[in-house]
Amino acid sequence: MKTLLLLLGTTAALAADAPLLKDDFSAPKLEQRRASRGDWKFADNTATCTQDDALYKKNKDHGPILFYDLAHTDAAIRFAVKPDASTKTIVFTANGADGHVFRIVLSSRGAGIRAFPPGEKDHKSISLGNEPTVLLKPGEWTAVTVDLRGPKAAVRIGDFSQTYEHASLSRPKTNLSIGFSFGTICVKDLVVEK
């Protein structure tokens, strides 16, 4: 009986530590993933896409994107991105039922950290920080971690680390996304943990 209880306890502990979502990009389809606005390729544990300018215009100047349907409030999201020299922006967004909640915009001019308070006209964002030293590095993998806990967002991009705070960040989230504009990007190692 003790062995059975120990086995059940171990199984429950392992399940509690299991990620909410893991995408190793080993398959072209994943139940929670929606790849859109571009011709995404999934090979060698990497998602790769090159922006199609006609699709960009058709989608009102929005580039290719990977959406993940995942209800969560607090979570740690990790992934790595590699842009080419033509990539202008890479955007990570956590969305709620009423629209965007949190966003990071990476570019050759730095990183912008944004919150989207509810009730703002036209769902307008506010700046939580502008980080001019956090730049896109063409041809290099950059690890990104976003740890959303209540009103705080602990962000790590490469060697950069900073925590931002705004009450609106504690809202429930329904999905997250990684998108970009221009050029080609690769994405790998996406994991979301409680």
Side-chain angles (χ1 to χ4, degrees), residues 58-92:
K58 179 182 175 184
N59 288 289
K60 300 178 183 174
D61 296 341
H62 286 78
I65 194 163
L66 295 170
F67 277 107
Y68 291 90
D69 297 317
L70 179 67
H72 63 287
T73 299
D74 294 341
I77 302 106
R78 295 188 323 263
F79 59 94
V81 290
K82 182 171 74 170
D84 73 1
S86 299
T87 304
K88 290 191 179 178
T89 61
I90 296 175
V91 180
F92 166 82

Side-chain angles (χ1 to χ4, degrees), residues 110-174:
I113 314 300
R114 318 278 313 158
F116 295 79
E120 287 290 319
K121 185 177 180 190
D122 298 326
H123 202 63
K124 187 175 179 177
S125 68
I126 60 167
S127 175
L128 298 182
N130 289 306
E131 311 300 344
T133 62
V134 182
L135 307 174
L136 285 180
K137 296 177 183 174
E140 293 182 32
W141 285 105
T142 299
V144 178
T145 301
V146 179
D147 192 350
L148 296 166
R149 305 274 170 214
K152 294 183 180 180
V155 174
R156 179 176 211 104
I157 304 166
D159 295 331
F160 171 84
S161 182
Q162 179 72 38
T163 299
Y164 306 90
E165 187 168 355
H166 193 274
S168 67
L169 300 181
S170 13
R171 298 189 337 253
K173 289 82 172 173
T174 56

